[in-house]
Amino acid sequence: MSKILIIYSSVHGQTRKLCDFMQRELEALEHSVTCASIDNPPPLEGFDKIVLGASIRHGKHNPRVYDFISQNLALLQEKASTFFSVSLVARKPAKNTPETNPYMQAFLAKSPWQPKLLAVFGGNLDYQGYNALDRNIIRFIMWITKGPTAPDTKVEYTDWDKVKDYAQQVAAL
């Protein structure tokens, strides 16, 4: 049994939802799991494994993700650790792996931490759940990328089987 910390950066809640799902999966495998926001993480020293998950907003991961990595780089490199990214672009089969996802590639180019286990998951599209600015920006991006643009669209692109497989890989670290 491992003590696992899952830290998340979530804007509209989908990344948090993935973390909660992973927590249940890992606890079913008899691991002790703590989920925490990147805004208030516990000390990392007491955990065997660290999972960091972050969503994309307007084409970027939250700057706090990079701050967290910089502040904790030695521990992230010392412990079994992993990173996953959540985005709407990952809804596309050609962009839903760490090797093919442009946001994951940008993360790897920018981050001094290079975790061995990486994952990319599709996010949740809910125009009614966004403020007016986000709704218009996301609709424009979806129009450019040939995604749904109807203002009442609500689609979850997360592949939960893929999330379950990732949780099992985390357990095996």
Side-chain angles (χ1 to χ4, degrees), residues 5-113:
L5 174 61
I6 303 174
I7 300 170
Y8 61 88
S9 171
S10 189
V11 178
H12 297 288
Q14 191 69 8
T15 304
R16 172 64 195 259
K17 186 176 176 181
L18 269 82
C19 292
D20 291 342
F21 178 88
M22 282 188 266
Q23 180 175 12
R24 289 189 300 274
E25 290 295 314
L26 291 163
E27 288 175 345
L29 296 171
E30 300 187 1
H31 295 282
S32 171
V33 182
T34 300
C35 281
S37 168
I38 199 160
D39 296 327
N40 192 25
L44 306 186
E45 292 82 2
F47 296 92
D48 305 310
K49 301 175 185 182
I50 301 166
V51 177
L52 176 58
S55 62
I56 293 295
R57 181 164 193 234
H58 305 312
K60 297 182 178 166
H61 288 106
N62 184 331
R64 289 183 183 170
V65 170
Y66 299 102
D67 294 342
F68 175 83
I69 291 167
S70 294
Q71 293 165 5
N72 297 287
L73 184 59
L75 276 172
L76 288 169
Q77 291 174 328
E78 173 187 315
K79 295 180 181 282
S81 59
T82 177
F83 177 75
F84 72 91
S85 181
V86 180
S87 67
L88 289 173
V89 77
R91 76 188 187 282
K92 295 182 169 194
K95 295 185 179 182
N96 71 359
T97 69
E99 298 77 24
T100 61
N101 185 276
Y103 300 125
M104 181 61 81
Q105 292 303 306
F107 169 82
L108 292 170
K110 186 174 181 178
S111 173
W113 174 50

Side-chain angles (χ1 to χ4, degrees), residues 108-122:
L108 292 170
K110 186 174 181 178
S111 173
W113 174 50
Q114 302 290 298
K116 291 179 179 40
L117 179 58
L118 301 167
V120 174
F121 303 111

